[in-house]
Amino acid sequence: MKTYPKIGIRPIIDGRLGGIRESLEETTMNMAKAVVALFNAELKYPDGTPVVCVVADTCIGGVKEAADCADKFERENVGVSLSVTPCWCYGSETMDMNPLLPKAIWGFNGTERPGAVYLAATLAAHNQKGLPAFGIYGKDVQDMGDQHIPEDVREKLLAFARAGLAVAIMRGKSYLAIGSVSMGIAGSIVDADFFQSYLGMRNEYVDSSEILRRIQQHIFDPEEFKLALKWTREHCQEGEDFNQPKNVKSREEKDQDWEFVVKMTMIMRDLMIGNPRLVDQGYGEEAQGHHALLAGFQGQRQWTDFLPDGDFSEALLNSSFDWNGIRAPYLVATENDALNGVSMLFNYLLTNTAQIFADVRTYWSPEAVARVSGWKPEGRAADGFLHLINSGSATLDGTGKQRLGDKPVMKPHWEISDKEVDACLKATTFYPSNRDYMRGGGFSSKFVTEGGMPVTMCRLNLIKGVGPVLQIAEGWTIDLPEDVHRILDERTDKIWPTTWFVPRLTGEANFSSVYAVMANWGSNHGAISYGHIGADLITLAAMLRIPVNMHNVAQEAIFRPSAWGAFGMDSEGSDYRACQVYGPLYK
């Protein structure tokens, strides 16, 4: 992306000249400057650059200054709107009226001037006009002019900004479907109305044959291909071929497959974002790409029945590095599961980290583990665990070989070292694909995610009569004893990447047990992000008017627009009712 949306800061003031406004000008503008400093220090765009904030030219005391601010925000590509004030102001005259901008108000908790009164009055105006806004109000009273941002206010400011930027970054981008529906998977029945109405995104489509055309007609950068193939041969270790003898390809055929999947990887990226080098080859149209923030590759079965599969390409694109070095991941959904792709996108935009795409494959009860392995699960695994695994397409960052101190992590790409890239690659083996599944061959990545990482799994589903709903499960990756891992892993597809996952249990409803989480998961796939980001996902979902039907986030951490409180005291029910009344953001 060449440009990113900015955060707009609106300093709101009591407009009465003749002593009142003049006495508040500096204090009000200093609130705005304090927020700018916070956002600049803590928030980054997906390319690693600090977020850019735009402050209104003047404090806003009435409708004329509010209109001037709106004009400036439109010129400056502002995608998120935050109003701040230490005092009473004229609510409906100064409020942000743009229906597409996520908006919040921070009303200063001080006794000298009633910032909280403005906050309450203007939130009421937002609710009455159907323009939901988040309210931010510190727990403790501060002294007028105190520029310190309390921790509780800081957390809400950052939560709002992270989610708001995710909304703004998605707007106007594309989901690129390469191919069509994979094996009847519902998530790969791409719903264009959902993308347009809820995310503000457009849909682009190319047939899978476009990849084959570009390979056969050499529509890719030949110099990059030489570099990419050399890097792949040096850094991507090939594993044993476990196929039946009749399905084992010759060394020459495997070498040809390596060349094919490297070209596939380059071409899939070019289809997403374009490649100016193609202009020099006379392919100006192909050079443009599809402005895709997210893509999906059908693969099975029409492609994989006779051509090398997309496992290598998806694994590398979803990782934070390749032959060109360390860079932001390109999000690609396996089997064109657009809904799990969006789940990955939500996670990614909130964290700037690569995402694991996996089947939510198996619930292992303690009794079943003991029966087949002789080991009784203990510690976090004591109540059982989930086996997350899919056909070699998960990000290699998911190995857990990046480090923060001595702990395994997944980092934004600008924090990753060359040593950590090397560790991720050394922990990964690329096995010749299972040709009972993937008749055309290819190479599947295999690693085991290191235990001890806090992670969040989410999934977006479409429900007839309701629309989109979001599921969230915070938990941890775990390690199993080596012999136990081997026994359990080899009962399924042992050449695919494995993540052993334990959700955090609450003792209630869908989180009463690990089994309950598995039983209530809404589809066959999940998107797994580093960190416990469930609260941020709930905030983002509310901005997009997507209800959350399953989560294990503490009630006190949930942050939604003020209007949600008017739809009842039960959090889940009020979320559903509010989303139904307001409808999708871009309706």
Side-chain angles (χ1 to χ4, degrees):
M1 293 179 61
K2 295 181 180 178
T3 60
Y4 285 102
K6 301 169 185 175
I7 300 177
I9 312 295
R10 308 173 74 250
I12 312 297
I13 199 167
D14 189 324
R16 287 174 283 198
L17 287 167
I20 295 179
R21 174 166 181 153
E22 293 88 343
S23 69
L24 293 166
E25 289 277 5
E26 183 177 0
T27 299
T28 304
M29 192 58 75
N30 281 341
M31 276 189 74
K33 291 177 180 178
V35 172
V36 170
L38 172 66
F39 289 167
N40 287 162
E42 297 293 334
L43 299 175
K44 288 181 169 58
Y45 293 120
D47 66 356
T49 57
V51 299
V52 177
C53 297
V54 176
V55 181
D57 292 332
T58 67
C59 290
I60 300 170
V63 67
K64 173 61 167 62
E65 287 165 322
D68 290 342
C69 176
D71 288 343
K72 181 177 184 179
F73 282 7
E74 187 170 354
R75 293 193 307 271
E76 295 283 345
N77 188 32
V78 165
V80 186
S81 173
L82 171 68
S83 300
V84 301
T85 187
C87 59
W88 166 253
C89 318
Y90 305 154
S92 61
E93 296 181 24
T94 58
M95 63 188 286
D96 185 339
M97 296 285 289
N98 188 327
L100 299 184
L101 295 187
K103 48 184 63 60
I105 303 170
W106 173 24
F108 187 79
N109 185 358
T111 56
E112 293 88 345
R113 299 281 183 175
V117 177
Y118 173 79
L119 173 65
T122 311
L123 288 175
H126 277 283
N127 297 345
Q128 187 169 328
K129 294 175 181 293
L131 299 169
F134 290 78
I136 301 172
Y137 179 62
K139 181 180 67 174
D140 296 320
V141 172
Q142 293 180 262
D143 299 329
M144 179 64 73
D146 182 357
Q147 296 182 39
H148 170 69
I149 301 178
E151 185 59 29
D152 59 335
V153 172
R154 181 181 183 277
E155 289 178 1
K156 288 186 175 180
L157 287 171
L158 291 173
F160 166 75
R162 282 191 295 264
L165 282 171
V167 171
I169 289 172
M170 284 186 283
R171 187 183 306 136
K173 308 307 181 301
S174 301
Y175 175 82
L176 173 63
I178 304 173
S180 184
V181 179
S182 175
M183 302 182 295
I185 294 173
S188 63
I189 304 172
V190 180
D191 190 312
D193 184 62
F194 161 72
F195 276 92
Q196 177 182 328
S197 299
Y198 282 89
L199 308 182
M201 295 177 65
R202 68 170 66 216
N203 295 85
E204 291 285 296
Y205 310 86
V206 297
D207 191 81
S208 302
S209 62
E210 175 62 9
I211 295 177
L212 194 58
R213 180 182 80 91
R214 293 195 185 198
I215 289 176
Q216 292 177 349
Q217 298 184 6
H218 304 284
I219 307 174
F220 53 84
D221 183 344
E223 295 304 314
E224 184 185 5
F225 172 65
K226 293 177 185 177
L227 170 70
L229 187 61
K230 181 176 184 295
W231 180 90
T232 300
R233 285 171 173 164
E234 291 175 354
H235 296 283
C236 299
Q237 52 188 331
E238 183 180 320
E240 180 182 351
D241 194 330
F242 292 110
N243 282 291
Q244 303 174 58
K246 67 176 182 178
N247 286 337
V248 173
K249 289 191 174 186
S250 68
R251 183 69 259 166
E252 181 181 6
E253 289 174 318
K254 289 177 180 176
D255 290 342
Q256 291 173 349
D257 281 356
W258 275 118
E259 293 185 11
F260 191 96
V261 298
V262 168
K263 291 173 184 176
M264 270 183 71
T265 308
M266 295 168 51
I267 290 167
M268 288 167 70
R269 180 207 59 203
D270 291 352
L271 283 167
M272 290 180 68
I273 66 167
N275 187 344
R277 293 293 300 274
L278 299 182
V279 174
D280 300 334
Q281 299 171 234
Y283 298 107
E285 182 180 357
E286 290 85 347
Q288 294 184 43
H290 290 267
H291 199 50
L293 189 60
L294 173 67
F297 177 60
Q298 175 192 340
Q300 298 186 76
R301 282 187 47 199
Q302 287 75 16
W303 179 275
T304 56
D305 274 1
F306 79 110
L307 292 169
D309 60 42
D311 286 2
F312 174 83
S313 299
E314 292 168 7
L316 261 290
L317 289 168
N318 279 314
S319 299
S320 299
F321 47 83
D322 60 15
W323 44 82
N324 290 315
I326 299 169
R327 43 89 180 141
Y330 304 101
L331 301 183
V332 181
T334 300
E335 296 157 345
N336 197 28
D337 185 347
L339 295 181
N340 209 56
V342 171
S343 306
M344 292 171 68
L345 181 60
F346 286 177
N347 290 346
Y348 170 65
L349 292 176
L350 291 170
T351 65
N352 290 323
T353 58
Q355 300 297 309
I356 299 173
F357 183 113
D359 273 1
V360 185
R361 177 67 67 94
T362 308
Y363 164 66
W364 277 101
S365 68
E367 294 76 16
V369 174
R371 179 180 64 81
V372 303
S373 73
W375 175 71
K376 182 179 180 181
E378 56 191 27
R380 283 194 173 130
D383 293 318
F385 45 84
L386 301 182
H387 192 179
L388 309 180
I389 179 173
N390 204 346
S391 58
S393 60
T395 173
L396 304 192
D397 300 53
T399 56
K401 297 304 179 183
Q402 298 160 21
R403 283 293 184 269
L404 185 60
D406 61 350
K407 295 182 179 179
V409 298
M410 294 169 65
K411 298 179 178 178
H413 75 273
W414 58 85
E415 295 180 5
I416 298 173
S417 68
D418 290 333
K419 181 180 178 181
E420 290 169 325
V421 169
D422 189 53
C424 292
L425 288 164
K426 286 181 177 177
T428 306
T429 301
F430 290 88
Y431 290 96
S433 295
N434 181 342
R435 295 189 66 198
D436 289 333
Y437 283 136
M438 318 292 190
R439 298 173 184 172
F443 298 93
S444 293
S445 59
K446 170 65 177 183
F447 60 78
V448 182
T449 300
E450 193 166 330
M453 290 196 295
V455 294
T456 302
M457 181 168 74
C458 81
R459 169 71 193 194
L460 185 80
N461 296 296
L462 292 179
I463 309 299
K464 181 75 171 180
V466 177
V469 297
L470 186 66
Q471 297 177 291
I472 301 165
E474 294 184 340
W476 298 268
T477 63
I478 61 168
D479 293 317
L480 300 182
E482 180 57 36
D483 59 332
V484 177
H485 159 75
R486 179 180 51 77
I487 291 169
L488 270 54
D489 201 44
E490 290 186 359
R491 289 174 65 95
T492 181
D493 301 284
K494 63 182 179 180
I495 65 170
W496 295 350
T498 277
T499 301
W500 302 110
F501 172 65
V502 173
R504 184 177 62 245
L505 302 181
T506 65
E508 298 178 356
N510 296 345
F511 290 91
S512 59
S513 66
V514 179
Y515 173 79
V517 174
M518 176 77 180
N520 288 285
W521 203 248
S523 188
N524 55 310
H525 291 149
I528 299 90
S529 178
Y530 177 79
H532 287 162
I533 62 167
D536 280 353
L537 283 166
I538 290 173
T539 298
L540 173 59
M543 288 183 181
L544 297 170
R545 322 289 167 73
I546 296 173
V548 177
N549 71 302
M550 173 176 167
H551 74 81
N552 57 351
V553 176
Q555 181 64 36
E556 59 270 20
I558 295 175
F559 186 37
R560 288 181 169 126
S562 166
W564 268 235
F567 288 88
M569 293 177 63
D570 60 309
S571 179
E572 184 175 82
S574 66
D575 184 32
Y576 268 80
R577 289 185 286 272
C579 290
Q580 181 181 35
V581 167
Y582 289 115
L585 183 58
Y586 305 101
K587 59 184 176 183

